[in-house]
Amino acid sequence: MLHHRQQRSDKMAAPSELEGYKPTSVQEAWDNHFEAFGSQNLDKIMLDYDEKSVLRCFCHSDGADDTFKGVEEIRGFFDGLFKMLTDLRSEVQAGSIPRAYC
């Protein structure tokens, strides 16, 4: 289970990446999310969430089913997750993210 943390990740998007992000298709949003996850870029992945967003995480190892609502809780989820993970760029590019992470 991940614990909510208030501190920011050291892997953040450059300001130019954040300005004007308005995906016009599901594919464009997915591409942002996929690249942000692979590079563990907290600011970039958070572009895909707002205060109405709900993230559910089921952990296969212990059966935990956690719910995170709004940007603060979801940001805390990804911050904790990224701190647990290694650099995933090679796995994301290959399309095979290990299932052991929850």
Side-chain angles (χ1 to χ4, degrees), residues 25-32:
S25 68
V26 172
Q27 184 63 56
E28 188 177 342
W30 174 244
D31 289 345
N32 176 74

Side-chain angles (χ1 to χ4, degrees), residues 22-67:
K22 292 183 170 70
T24 57
S25 68
V26 172
Q27 184 63 56
E28 188 177 342
W30 174 244
D31 289 345
N32 176 74
H33 201 77
F34 197 65
E35 198 284 323
F37 189 89
S39 62
Q40 299 178 21
N41 186 321
L42 186 55
D43 286 339
K44 189 168 185 168
I45 206 162
M46 289 308 299
L47 294 173
D48 295 322
Y49 298 93
D50 63 22
E51 284 303 324
K52 296 179 183 177
S53 297
V54 176
L55 184 148
R56 292 196 60 199
C57 178
F58 177 77
C59 185
H60 294 276
S61 64
D62 67 6
D65 187 8
D66 296 319
T67 301

Side-chain angles (χ1 to χ4, degrees), residues 3-4 17-19 22 29 32-33 41 69 73 97-98:
H3 299 283
H4 179 73
E17 288 182 75
L18 304 177
E19 295 172 14
K22 292 183 170 70
N32 176 74
H33 201 77
N41 186 321
K69 297 178 181 178
E73 288 185 14
I97 297 171

Side-chain angles (χ1 to χ4, degrees), residues 8-13 17 32-46 75 78-92 97-98 101:
R8 296 177 65 104
S9 169
D10 60 347
K11 295 181 181 179
M12 299 189 308
E17 288 182 75
N32 176 74
H33 201 77
F34 197 65
E35 198 284 323
F37 189 89
S39 62
Q40 299 178 21
N41 186 321
L42 186 55
D43 286 339
K44 189 168 185 168
I45 206 162
M46 289 308 299
R75 184 178 189 90
F78 280 112
D79 186 42
L81 178 64
F82 291 163
K83 287 176 179 172
M84 289 175 29
L85 300 176
T86 59
D87 186 338
L88 293 176
R89 280 177 277 207
S90 62
E91 285 86 356
V92 168
I97 297 171
Y101 300 118

